[in-house]
Amino acid sequence: ISLTQGSGSDCLGVLISEVDGPEDDLTQPDVVVELVQENVAPGTWDQEGRSIACRSGHLVVRQTAEVHEEVERMLDLLRAHK
């Protein structure tokens, strides 16, 4: 999982890479999306202008700066757990 800042201040891009060997749920974009939605600012993802989706292997997050920071912390924890 790698983190990149998008061109807009409310857009965060995350690259989710496949790994060799047994399939790891954390490499599955839908699993990462669900984990983030359930654990970072739950209940805010359906608000207008707020979204999280996987596009071409990248996790694209449109949220507030504070939520971006929370997403980044969560992804750091997931990377450390791997």
Side-chain angles (χ1 to χ4, degrees):
I1 299 172
S2 66
L3 183 66
T4 58
Q5 182 69 38
S7 59
S9 63
D10 67 341
C11 185
L12 178 73
V14 179
L15 178 62
I16 302 172
S17 308
E18 295 289 332
V19 294
D20 293 332
E23 205 164 290
D24 180 355
D25 281 344
L26 295 179
T27 65
Q28 301 304 309
D30 57 330
V31 172
V32 175
V33 167
E34 187 174 327
L35 279 171
V36 171
Q37 286 177 320
E38 290 176 355
N39 294 284
V40 177
T44 66
W45 297 100
D46 291 333
Q47 294 176 5
E48 187 172 336
R50 308 292 181 233
S51 64
I52 182 170
C54 186
R55 296 188 186 121
S56 302
H58 289 83
L59 186 66
V60 179
V61 176
R62 296 191 66 82
Q63 258 291 0
T64 64
E66 293 82 14
V67 173
H68 279 187
E69 290 174 11
E70 290 180 45
V71 170
E72 183 174 2
R73 280 191 294 272
M74 180 177 179
L75 294 174
D76 287 343
L77 288 171
L78 292 173
R79 282 187 210 100
H81 179 68
K82 188 175 179 184

